[in-house]
Amino acid sequence: MDLTEIIESQKQLAKADFKFFQDSVVDAKNHSDYDFYLGELKSAVETGNEENINELRDLIGKKIEEHKNLFVDVESSRLNLVEHNNNLKAIKYKSKMLRFLAILIIITGLILMFYGFHNWQFKYQKFIDAEMKWKGEIFVELLREKELKPKDEQQRKNQESESESDS
């Protein structure tokens, strides 16, 4: 999974959590049935109907519990959204740092490469070239001497044979 896929999945999760958060807030705002239950409770208290009062208390208690749960879910959703945003920021920061580190390593490598080439070329290679040239000149001299020796020997033999034939 590459970095763009991770960022995209984090964005999708954040969007889903934010949608749930928005829907939860809208649901909480639309619960206007408290007014209805309170009106019923007042009328039950005025009439003195104990059974109705207990039922309405239970209903209002359940509604309050539902709203508490709803707001807990909303808060949880909000915290998840904040966490997703923090994760995205952390991923982007790590991405920038890795990119910076890679560029730094490449630049350092290039500098070291050019430094090494410069040292090799101007500090060592010129001496190696001079040594090879010197050895080559010695080798050429040796070859010339070997070529001349057989000719000299041939001339000596010819001279010796001429001198023997003259005698």
Side-chain angles (χ1 to χ4, degrees), residues 13-30:
L13 287 171
K15 283 180 184 177
D17 281 346
F18 186 70
K19 177 78 171 121
F20 176 76
F21 176 71
Q22 282 180 326
D23 292 346
S24 298
V25 169
V26 168
D27 286 347
K29 286 181 181 176
N30 289 337

Side-chain angles (χ1 to χ4, degrees), residues 28-53:
K29 286 181 181 176
N30 289 337
H31 281 73
S32 58
D33 46 0
Y34 283 115
D35 294 335
F36 171 75
Y37 288 123
L38 284 175
E40 289 291 316
L41 186 61
K42 282 181 185 176
S43 67
V45 168
E46 288 174 2
T47 59
N49 190 349
E50 196 69 33
E51 210 173 286
N52 247 356
I53 293 173

Side-chain angles (χ1 to χ4, degrees), residues 1 11 17 20 22 27 35 40 57-58 60 65-66 73 81 105 109 112 115 127 129 131 141 151 155 161 164:
M1 188 182 254
K11 282 183 181 179
D17 281 346
F20 176 76
Q22 282 180 326
D27 286 347
D35 294 335
E40 289 291 316
R57 277 189 188 159
D58 290 342
I60 290 173
E65 206 51 45
E66 285 177 18
D73 290 344
L81 181 63
I105 289 172
L112 289 174
Y115 176 75
F127 297 115
D129 290 343
E131 181 184 8
E141 283 181 29
K151 288 181 183 176
Q155 285 176 355
S161 64
E164 283 178 13

